[in-house]
Amino acid sequence: MDQIELVRDFNRFYTQRLGVLNDHYLGQGRPLGEARLLFEIGDGADLRELRSRLGLDSGYLSRLLRSLGGDGLVAVGPSPSDGRVRTVTLTAAGRAERAELEARSRDSVAGLLDPLTAEQRERLLEAQAQVRRLMRLATVTIDAGPDDTASARGCLQAYAQELDLRFPEGYDPATLIAPGTLTDGTFLLAREDGRPVGCGLWQGSGPVAEIRHVWVSPDARGLGLGRRLLTALEQDAAAHGITTIRLGTHSALTEAIALYRASGYREIPVDDPSPYNQLVFEKGLVL
Amino acid sequence: MDQIELVRDFNRFYTQRLGVLNDHYLGQGRPLGEARLLFEIGDGADLRELRSRLGLDSGYLSRLLRSLGGDGLVAVGPSPSDGRVRTVTLTAAGRAERAELEARSRDSVAGLLDPLTAEQRERLLEAQAQVRRLMRLATVTIDAGPDDTASARGCLQAYAQELDLRFPEGYDPATLIAPGTLTDGTFLLAREDGRPVGCGLWQGSGPVAEIRHVWVSPDARGLGLGRRLLTALEQDAAAHGITTIRLGTHSALTEAIALYRASGYREIPVDDPSPYNQLVFEKGLVL
DNA sequence: CGGTTTCTCTGACTAGAGTCAGAGGTCATG
DNA sequence: CATGACCTCTGACTCTAGTCAGAGAAACCG
């Protein structure tokens, strides 16, 4: 079996097992759509928000809520801030039912873990975490785009804020590339499910260009996304005729430095106007 | 988050990702039930067999096939061997459609693997295999039962056959415990999705009892099922007042010997009537 | 050979999940 | 205060998935 078949086989296996688990804990009169809604309402939510979060038709949502309301599980009322919007909250009965669903779900998972030894459970969790990290990494998209969209600005701002915290001397946001001024180079934005989770850019017209502002959102760290971004930047630069890439970094950014070294960069003497670039690295690119 | 929540969280993550993958490749007019059927028909199958394999109502299956037949994808005809039974085969168009479904599925998985490096793919596959092994192990049930059911006899026969192959001197099936004669002791049968995948028994009335006939089906090896069976036998014996457990084994069974040593058994001098028991191990039980 | 069992098909239903087109209320704005 | 945008609700549908009861043909068994 090749890799693709192995993954498909695992997917089949896992959906089947999950189906058994889910049928077991949801098999209690309540249709799936309503059960999902009970969870998503949480401590009250606007219908508008629920609709977009669950991707439901407004008529369908209305009907689901009426059904739940008929069983006394939810109460729908006007939003205090906007008279057009309606908010839904769980009643005591609704919270009880949600708690029962939660408990059933927990029980069915507990039943799964029960026959395993403590060490086997650890191994299962670690393997699941590994699968998840790699699948998250695989589904992050990296695309070139303008550096002055809201998402791009958000990433760059987060980057600046983080450096300001991590550098003993702080970080002056004016050091950032001015939005919209990147003409010789490419800005790459990484997204997970549409949400921006990282960025980076390269800049320069000659045979030598510089990589700057490589940043990965805290909740997407440990996936290997920094490396993917770096590789994507190198490939894009090489495709634009760049043969040597440089980058400067601060000695406080130890993980970044390790990544650069592991990616084939070698340190060169510092000759850089920026006070933050305490180390400079260089790598030759081949197309 | 505790272990149960971590597993639930992974399940949510994986179903969501799988949903995206599946919607992508099955999003093409064909309802899920019919698509599944197209796969399961394979190179022709009896309706009776399909029904039991997929757990379908006979009326429902009939209708699904009529719909597929209306699109010219399948042909239903009488079975050559039994006039009551009908067989269904894929037409050329049906094979083409199935191939297209397969290709879409493969493409969507290939798209997932594509951004990963070769090493990351390896790690993903290994982690998936690990998850699968542990989940298989966790869902195997081990229950005490009579040793003369069809399932039990099947396991014991397979055990004898395998020993006959592995022992240079062969194995005499008469050495097996005679079915139905196990009075002092317990026969345990391991099942995966109802299918027997292993067995084992302990026997003896005194404070000392013997574990015999521990066997794991080849397709369930590497899961850790041997250890689960051994532990289950020890616990059952201890619960019946046994304080010392012994077992004899053959020097050709190296994995079994390793398992016994790792499980706290220590070798004792051989004092056993069976010529196959070249080594004897012993372990004290605590309730 | 006749009765019983097995297998398939048909018709009549049900429930869940979701879509679509308005109706009518609420809000922001010129 | 009129207008358009926004939000929710209702009624009328559709499609999928599945259940149930019974009819009719074929096979099996004594």
Side-chain angles (χ1 to χ4, degrees):
Chain A
M1 257 204 280
D2 68 353
Q3 291 187 320
I4 293 177
E5 284 308 310
L6 286 169
V7 172
R8 289 182 65 201
D9 207 48
F10 178 75
N11 290 349
R12 277 192 288 265
F13 167 81
Y14 211 80
T15 35
Q16 196 218 322
R17 280 299 137 95
L18 269 173
V20 174
L21 279 181
N22 285 341
D23 291 353
H24 192 256
Y25 93 87
L26 286 175
Q28 66 134 25
R30 182 77 44 206
L32 203 98
E34 295 183 8
R36 234 169 44 192
L37 206 48
L38 270 183
F39 281 107
E40 291 292 337
I41 288 169
D43 301 322
D46 289 352
L47 296 207
R48 175 176 44 177
E49 188 209 335
L50 281 175
R51 244 195 11 250
S52 73
R53 201 161 71 211
L54 296 175
L56 298 176
D57 175 81
S58 79
Y60 184 32
L61 175 59
S62 176
R63 224 172 306 274
L64 284 176
L65 286 175
R66 203 156 40 135
S67 163
L68 286 173
D71 292 354
L73 303 181
V74 301
V76 181
S79 164
S81 58
D82 187 333
R84 292 167 300 183
V85 177
R86 312 244 294 157
T87 31
V88 56
T89 52
L90 292 181
T91 63
R95 283 193 298 274
E97 173 133 1
R98 187 184 57 179
E100 212 211 332
L101 283 176
E102 282 274 347
R104 276 167 194 258
S105 168
R106 283 186 61 88
D107 282 356
S108 80
V109 171
L112 176 77
L113 290 180
D114 188 54
L116 298 180
T117 66
E119 193 227 346
Q120 285 167 338
R121 284 180 218 178
E122 286 295 332
R123 288 215 316 264
L124 177 62
L125 290 174
E126 178 43 40
Q128 287 189 337
Q130 175 81 285
V131 168
R132 186 173 183 155
R133 280 194 298 269
L134 287 163
M135 294 211 20
R136 284 186 65 194
L137 175 61
T139 50
V140 167
T141 59
I142 296 182
D143 294 298
D147 62 342
D148 54 357
T149 61
S151 303
R153 281 168 199 266
C155 281
L156 291 172
Q157 253 171 41
Y159 167 77
Q161 264 173 30
E162 183 175 344
L163 292 191
D164 191 48
L165 280 174
R166 292 193 62 178
F167 293 174
E169 69 271 30
Y171 183 80
D172 178 4
T175 320
L176 285 179
I177 185 168
T181 62
L182 182 63
T183 47
D184 288 322
T186 303
F187 179 83
L188 294 185
L189 186 66
R191 295 170 176 279
E192 182 176 26
D193 297 329
R195 205 166 32 86
V197 290
C199 68
L201 65 86
W202 67 266
Q203 186 177 32
S205 57
V208 180
E210 186 187 9
I211 284 180
R212 299 181 65 190
H213 300 348
V214 175
W215 177 77
V216 172
S217 153
D219 71 305
R221 281 181 200 169
L223 305 182
L225 184 51
R227 184 175 299 239
R228 256 195 83 191
L229 269 170
L230 195 60
T231 308
L233 284 168
E234 291 168 4
Q235 282 174 357
D236 187 80
H240 283 79
I242 303 298
T243 55
T244 301
I245 200 90
R246 284 194 190 143
L247 53 84
T249 192
H250 191 283
S251 58
L253 302 179
T254 48
E255 334 81 87
I257 293 171
L259 169 62
Y260 300 143
R261 289 197 199 280
S263 301
Y265 285 79
R266 64 170 213 284
E267 202 173 342
I268 61 170
V270 175
D271 171 26
D272 201 292
S274 166
Y276 304 120
N277 287 345
Q278 304 179 340
L279 292 87
V280 178
F281 289 90
E282 187 179 282
K283 179 180 183 180
L285 300 182
V286 276
L287 199 54
Chain B
M1 258 205 280
D2 68 354
Q3 291 186 321
I4 293 176
E5 284 308 311
L6 285 169
V7 172
R8 289 181 66 202
D9 207 49
F10 178 75
N11 290 350
R12 277 192 288 268
F13 167 81
Y14 212 80
T15 36
Q16 197 216 321
R17 279 300 137 93
L18 269 173
V20 174
L21 280 181
N22 285 342
D23 292 353
H24 192 259
Y25 95 85
L26 286 176
Q28 67 131 21
R30 184 75 43 205
L32 203 97
E34 295 183 7
R36 235 170 43 194
L37 205 49
L38 269 183
F39 281 108
E40 292 293 336
I41 289 169
D43 301 322
D46 288 353
L47 296 207
R48 173 176 47 175
E49 187 208 336
L50 281 176
R51 245 195 9 251
S52 73
R53 202 160 71 210
L54 296 175
L56 298 176
D57 175 82
S58 78
Y60 184 31
L61 175 59
S62 176
R63 223 172 305 276
L64 283 176
L65 287 176
R66 203 158 37 136
S67 163
L68 286 173
D71 293 354
L73 303 180
V74 302
V76 181
S79 164
S81 58
D82 186 335
R84 293 169 300 181
V85 176
R86 310 247 292 159
T87 32
V88 56
T89 50
L90 292 180
T91 62
R95 283 193 298 274
E97 174 134 0
R98 187 183 59 179
E100 211 211 337
L101 283 175
E102 282 274 350
R104 277 169 194 257
S105 169
R106 284 185 61 88
D107 281 356
S108 80
V109 172
L112 176 76
L113 291 180
D114 186 55
L116 298 180
T117 66
E119 193 226 346
Q120 285 166 337
R121 284 179 217 177
E122 286 296 331
R123 289 215 316 262
L124 177 62
L125 291 174
E126 178 43 42
Q128 287 189 337
Q130 174 81 284
V131 168
R132 185 174 183 154
R133 280 193 298 268
L134 287 164
M135 292 207 27
R136 285 185 65 193
L137 175 62
T139 49
V140 167
T141 59
I142 295 182
D143 294 299
D147 64 340
D148 55 356
T149 62
S151 304
R153 283 168 197 266
C155 281
L156 290 172
Q157 253 172 41
Y159 166 79
Q161 264 173 31
E162 183 174 344
L163 293 190
D164 191 48
L165 279 175
R166 294 194 58 178
F167 293 174
E169 69 272 31
Y171 183 81
D172 179 4
T175 321
L176 284 179
I177 185 167
T181 62
L182 180 63
T183 49
D184 289 320
T186 304
F187 180 82
L188 294 184
L189 185 66
R191 294 171 176 278
E192 182 177 25
D193 297 329
R195 206 167 29 90
V197 290
C199 68
L201 64 87
W202 68 265
Q203 185 177 32
S205 56
V208 179
E210 185 187 11
I211 284 179
R212 299 182 64 188
H213 300 348
V214 176
W215 177 78
V216 172
S217 152
D219 70 306
R221 282 180 201 169
L223 305 182
L225 184 52
R227 183 175 299 238
R228 257 195 81 190
L229 270 170
L230 194 60
T231 308
L233 285 168
E234 291 168 4
Q235 282 174 358
D236 187 80
H240 284 80
I242 304 298
T243 56
T244 301
I245 200 88
R246 284 194 191 143
L247 52 86
T249 192
H250 192 284
S251 58
L253 301 179
T254 49
E255 334 81 87
I257 294 171
L259 169 61
Y260 300 142
R261 291 198 198 277
S263 301
Y265 285 79
R266 62 169 214 285
E267 203 172 339
I268 60 170
V270 175
D271 171 25
D272 201 292
S274 166
Y276 303 119
N277 288 344
Q278 304 178 340
L279 292 87
V280 178
F281 288 91
E282 186 179 281
K283 180 181 182 178
L285 298 182
V286 276
L287 200 55

